[in-house]
Amino acid sequence: MIGCGVVGTGVFRVLAEHGELIETRLGAPLEIVRVAVRDPSRVRGELVPREKLTTDVDAILEDPEIDVVVELVGGVERPFEWLKKAMERGKHVVTANKAVMAVRGEELIAIAEARGVDLIYEGAVAGGVPILRVIREAFASDKIVELRGIVNGTSNYILTRMSEAKLSFQEALAEAQAKGYAEADPSLDVNGGDACHKLTLLARLAFGAKIRPEDIPTEGIDIVDARDMELARRFGYVVKPLAVASIRTGALDARVHPALVPARSDLAAIHGATNAVHVEGALVGPTMFSGAGAGAEPTAVSVVADIIDVARNILADSAGRVAPGCVLGVAIREFPRLPPEELSLPYYIRLSVDDDAGVLAEVASALGQNRVSIEAVVQTVQEAERSATVVLLTHEARETDVRAALALIAELPALREPPVVLRIVR
Ligand code: HSE
């Protein structure tokens, strides 16, 4: 094992508590031979035997007795080199690292195929929710047309706590960090980067699409204000951190952003660090999978299940025969992308403006000129400041038209703050 932080210590717990059960199911014991860490004095947990710790990754990669290398560090370049080196030495690899699989996954999958080894990464997406297995195995007979997920536990936790306990963004983030949900660099959680990596893996696997993180327009929950959560509720919506990928139109539409979802929808009921992925298959129809998306034990359950899969393949002499990174044996290929001007959704717009005659008419005119039709408007007046908060929900409109209207609105002298715009996903 390389790395022994939150998930690594969870792996030791899973093996300590379920070692016998696993041995019975597998027909062989699993043993952690060695654990490479940067600083052994910082490894926590009484379950981690100190004599197994080393600071030398090569002591693992070059040990011919080791069958499987499990990478739990995170980041891209160093893990890429470790995984590559391990596979080149004929070792099977398991990782929970979404960044390396998103950024350099295609290369790693090619190496696994060439070397005939297994490369499995269930722990990289949605923690304890076995969503990659579902896509790869359970829906092997269907064609997936759309995925919609809440795949960053920290973001969902923060929005939930801001909404339910009225915590500030910083307070809620501090709680998520204390609970071990957040990445070492929590900006990846709140700016959507982590969800973007996970959506890259989901879309690659579900659609066989060649896709990279930079192909996915990404907005984080750092654009969400507590006022918008409250206002959304008045219209019957809740704000959720979504990752969406669809091939419904024949072109691939993939994006990560906070969105208003109807308060009665299944994703609205996903609270705290829980993750959920709504998968729609052409024949199976809509399905949803949810559970703990972050944290030590749930993610470790996925990692150890991957190790068991590899071990089963070794015992059955079938390791590496079907590269598990591939889509049901279909090669990863270029997919046409939905042109941005074809994205069409309803939108939520919040404006802070001078409370003067004609201002609402100017706003309505900017929208009307750009073919954006208004579904609902609510205005509240702040008498003391002579200002008004105007919230508009639009009918379905092309995003390029909404952006053009907002560019006109941004020029209005009556505007007091930059407009806030959020997508509505029904
Ligand atoms: N930081 C991630 C999250 C952990 O909050 O979802 C799981 O990948």
Side-chain angles (χ1 to χ4, degrees), residues 140-157:
S141 56
D142 206 353
K143 177 180 169 189
I144 294 171
V145 290
E146 185 173 295
L147 302 160
R148 264 183 206 186
I150 294 175
V151 291
N152 182 264
T154 303
S155 298
N156 200 34
Y157 185 85

Side-chain angles (χ1 to χ4, degrees), residues 108-244:
L108 289 171
I109 290 167
I111 297 169
E113 281 177 329
R115 299 284 164 163
V117 295
D118 283 342
L119 158 62
I120 321 192
Y121 48 96
E122 184 66 70
V125 182
V129 185
I131 188 64
L132 300 184
R133 268 190 184 71
V134 164
I135 293 173
R136 200 174 61 224
E137 294 172 19
F139 292 157
S141 56
D142 206 353
K143 177 180 169 189
I144 294 171
V145 290
E146 185 173 295
L147 302 160
R148 264 183 206 186
I150 294 175
V151 291
N152 182 264
T154 303
S155 298
N156 200 34
Y157 185 85
I158 292 172
L159 292 186
T160 304
R161 297 290 286 160
M162 283 170 68
S163 158
E164 291 178 358
K166 308 291 174 225
L167 295 190
S168 71
F169 187 95
Q170 285 306 333
E171 288 166 336
L173 171 59
E175 275 192 7
Q177 286 178 297
K179 287 173 184 281
Y181 303 149
E183 295 299 295
D185 171 7
S187 62
L188 275 173
D189 292 303
V190 299
N191 69 15
D194 175 80
C196 171
H197 285 152
K198 291 166 177 166
L199 188 64
T200 304
L201 306 191
L202 288 168
R204 182 193 289 148
L205 192 62
F207 309 131
K210 226 178 195 342
I211 183 166
R212 299 209 161 77
E214 57 270 30
D215 299 331
I216 301 180
T218 298
E219 287 172 2
I221 58 154
D222 42 6
I223 65 166
V224 179
D225 190 299
R227 282 176 291 175
D228 297 309
M229 299 173 72
E230 184 51 40
L231 289 160
R233 200 190 333 260
R234 287 204 222 162
F235 286 101
Y237 292 94
V238 290
V239 182
K240 286 289 172 194
L242 291 196
V244 180

Side-chain angles (χ1 to χ4, degrees), residues 94-112:
V94 169
T95 179
N97 179 343
K98 52 251 154 171
V100 73
M101 286 310 299
V103 177
R104 306 205 62 182
E106 285 173 20
E107 292 162 82
L108 289 171
I109 290 167
I111 297 169

Side-chain angles (χ1 to χ4, degrees), residues 46 93 99 110 135 307:
E46 66 289 357
V93 294
I135 293 173
I307 302 171

